[in-house]
């Protein structure tokens, strides 16, 4: 696996490591190196060497630094000459860049190839509102990216992911899951959200570059599933707030085989058998009905998490609810 070292002036590298872990999950072979106010070039170079030594693969290392020409960059660069055939340095570190690098490590074993691919992601992650403040060429690029889907081609939707997540479209979905599943459309399926103009707008604005986001009521999703001939080539990611909405969609004819169970928020009357999932009796009964309907459950918060056992989780939740009766 390609090793990644995040380097910065001050605590920035540690902060972005923490933020990226919250979104994409814990990562192996990633280190943060910081240059503090009381330290000099030799100090950060020593830290850099220690960080490199801690990596499993010291031949393939990607350095993400805050500033080109700054002390962290200069100290990496002083070590770079002997490894320039395999190492890579990218300056201007931001969160989209780091997350993209994590995602690419599963399919790329070259630090230099990853460096090439993360540059566009880093640039696309810089946006401004109101949109008219963007330079004309940036706007054209964004519009071109958004128009790369194959709407109108023969065929129908390909459902790349159906997920239950009470937060719907947020960082883990817009980055980790989108990078893994490569949807062209993200569809939030919810009667409640469809009626909430503010939430609809926020979801549409949270879509990753090149992906269109929609909010539709459950009945509308059922109609789309039955007549989706105009969506050939489209890769759809469906997001549901709760299992009850999934059951309605499946009963109506939305052809789902697997449900990713990512997050269900705790509220009054619910028990929480693990850190991210909370259930009341209706939730448990609904999951059992989904199982009877032939659906499989993929219990993961982010793609690189190990899968949870839904039967065991439901059993524990039922036991905890029984104790409350």
């Amino acid at each position: 696996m390609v090793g990644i070292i995040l380097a910065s002036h001050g605590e920035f590298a540690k902060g972005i490591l923490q933020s990226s872990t919250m979104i994409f999950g814990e990562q192996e072979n990633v280190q943060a190196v910081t240059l503090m106010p009381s330290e000099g070039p030799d100090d950060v170079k020593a830290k850099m060497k220690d960080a490199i030594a801690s990596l499993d693969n010291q031949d393939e290392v990607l350095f993400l630094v805050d500033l080109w020409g700054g002390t962290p960059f200069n100290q990496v660069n002083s070590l770079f000459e002997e490894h320039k055939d395999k190492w890579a340095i990218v300056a201007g570190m931001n969160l989209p860049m780091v997350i993209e690098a994590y995602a690419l490590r599963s399919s790329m074993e070259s630090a230099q190839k990853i460096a090439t691919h993360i540059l566009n992601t880093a640039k696309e992650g810089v946006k401004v509102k109101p949109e008219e403040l963007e330079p004309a060429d940036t706007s054209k690029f964004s519009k071109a990216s958004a128009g790369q889907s194959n709407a109108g081609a023969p065929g129908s939707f390909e459902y790349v992911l159906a997920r239950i997540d009470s937060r719907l479209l947020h960082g883990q979905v817009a980055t980790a899951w989108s990078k893994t599943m490569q949807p062209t459309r993200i569809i939030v399926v919810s009667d409640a959200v469809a009626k909430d103009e503010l939430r609809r707008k926020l979801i549409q604005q949270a879509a990753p570059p090149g992906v269109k986001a929609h909010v539709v009521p459950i009945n509308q999703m059922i109609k789309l599933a039955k007549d989706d001939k105009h969506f050939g080539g489209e890769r759809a990611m469906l997001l549901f707030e709760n299992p009850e909405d999934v059951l309605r969609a499946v009963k109506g004819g939305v052809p789902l085989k697997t449900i990713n169970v990512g997050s269900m928020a705790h509220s009054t009357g619910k028990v929480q058998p693990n850190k991210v999932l909370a259930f009341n009796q209706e939730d448990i009964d609904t999951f059992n009905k989904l199982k009877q309907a032939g659906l499989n459950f993929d219990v993961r918060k982010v793609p690189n998490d190990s899968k949870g056992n839904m039967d065991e989780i439901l059993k524990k939740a039922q036991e905890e609810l029984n104790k409350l009766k």
Side-chain angles (χ1 to χ4, degrees):
M1 176 183 287
V2 172
I4 297 176
I5 293 179
L6 314 175
S8 71
H9 296 77
E11 300 281 1
F12 176 49
K14 290 183 178 179
I16 205 166
L17 175 59
Q18 182 185 54
S19 297
S20 59
T21 298
M22 289 176 62
I23 294 172
F24 206 82
E26 294 289 339
Q27 295 292 306
E28 297 179 354
N29 290 299
V30 178
Q31 294 290 337
V33 173
T34 59
L35 170 66
M36 303 309 292
S38 60
E39 297 175 332
D42 290 341
D43 297 304
V44 77
K45 189 170 187 176
K47 288 183 181 180
M48 198 73 68
K49 289 181 176 179
D50 289 342
I52 295 167
S54 73
L55 301 175
D56 292 345
N57 181 1
Q58 297 168 29
D59 292 327
E60 294 287 349
V61 185
L62 175 63
F63 298 87
L64 305 181
V65 302
D66 55 355
L67 289 174
W68 186 276
T71 299
F73 170 86
N74 290 336
Q75 296 312 305
V76 175
N77 201 37
S78 69
L79 304 171
F80 181 75
E81 189 63 27
E82 296 180 5
H83 306 272
K84 63 182 180 181
D85 56 330
K86 291 189 176 181
W87 284 9
I89 309 171
V90 181
M93 175 172 58
N94 62 13
L95 189 54
M97 173 197 295
V98 175
I99 293 169
E100 177 78 345
Y102 291 167
L104 291 173
R105 290 200 299 173
S106 62
S107 58
M108 293 184 180
E109 298 181 356
S110 164
Q112 295 186 353
K113 286 184 179 179
I114 293 175
T116 299
H117 280 76
I118 64 176
L119 292 178
N120 278 341
T121 300
K123 294 173 184 176
E124 290 172 6
V126 179
K127 294 184 176 294
V128 63
K129 288 187 74 72
E131 288 82 356
E132 55 265 27
L133 296 179
E134 290 191 26
D137 57 343
T138 302
S139 299
K140 289 177 182 177
F141 176 81
S142 299
K143 291 175 182 177
S145 298
Q148 289 176 355
S149 62
N150 297 312
S156 58
F157 272 134
E158 178 184 354
Y159 296 93
V160 296
L161 183 74
R163 176 179 172 91
I164 296 172
D165 191 327
S166 54
R167 295 180 292 171
L168 295 172
L169 181 51
H170 58 95
Q172 291 170 350
V173 175
T175 53
W177 282 107
S178 291
K179 297 298 182 187
T180 301
M181 307 311 297
Q182 295 292 305
T184 57
R185 292 178 187 266
I186 296 175
I187 305 175
V188 170
V189 186
S190 169
D191 291 349
V193 181
K195 297 175 183 177
D196 189 327
E197 183 177 357
L198 177 59
R199 291 184 72 187
R200 285 203 320 270
K201 288 182 178 179
L202 291 174
I203 285 169
Q204 290 167 347
Q205 293 170 0
V211 181
K212 297 178 181 179
H214 312 270
V215 179
V216 300
I218 298 169
N219 286 339
Q220 181 64 26
M221 187 65 232
I222 292 170
K223 291 179 182 178
L224 287 172
K226 292 179 178 179
D227 184 19
D228 62 354
K229 295 181 178 62
H230 297 293
F231 295 99
E234 295 279 10
R235 296 168 56 83
M237 178 190 292
L238 306 188
L239 301 178
F240 298 87
E241 282 190 289
N242 54 64
E244 291 75 28
D245 286 353
V246 176
L247 183 61
R248 280 184 57 195
V250 170
K251 283 186 173 181
V254 180
L256 303 179
K257 296 179 180 179
T258 300
I259 298 295
N260 168 238
V261 186
S263 173
M264 293 173 59
H266 186 272
S267 60
T268 303
K270 291 195 173 190
V271 296
Q272 193 164 354
N274 69 14
K275 293 181 179 180
V276 295
L277 300 179
F279 304 83
N280 57 24
Q281 190 62 56
E282 184 182 8
D283 295 328
I284 294 174
D285 294 343
T286 301
F287 275 113
N288 287 327
K289 291 176 182 177
L290 288 169
K291 184 178 179 180
Q292 291 169 7
L295 272 76
N296 299 310
F297 302 118
D298 174 12
V299 186
R300 284 184 293 170
K301 187 169 64 172
V302 292
N304 62 335
D305 281 349
S306 57
K307 294 184 180 181
N309 187 311
M310 195 61 178
D311 289 336
E312 292 181 1
I313 293 171
L314 290 174
K315 181 180 178 182
K316 184 177 180 181
Q318 187 65 70
E319 290 172 351
E320 292 183 14
L321 279 173
N322 290 340
K323 292 177 182 179
L324 297 178
K325 293 180 180 178

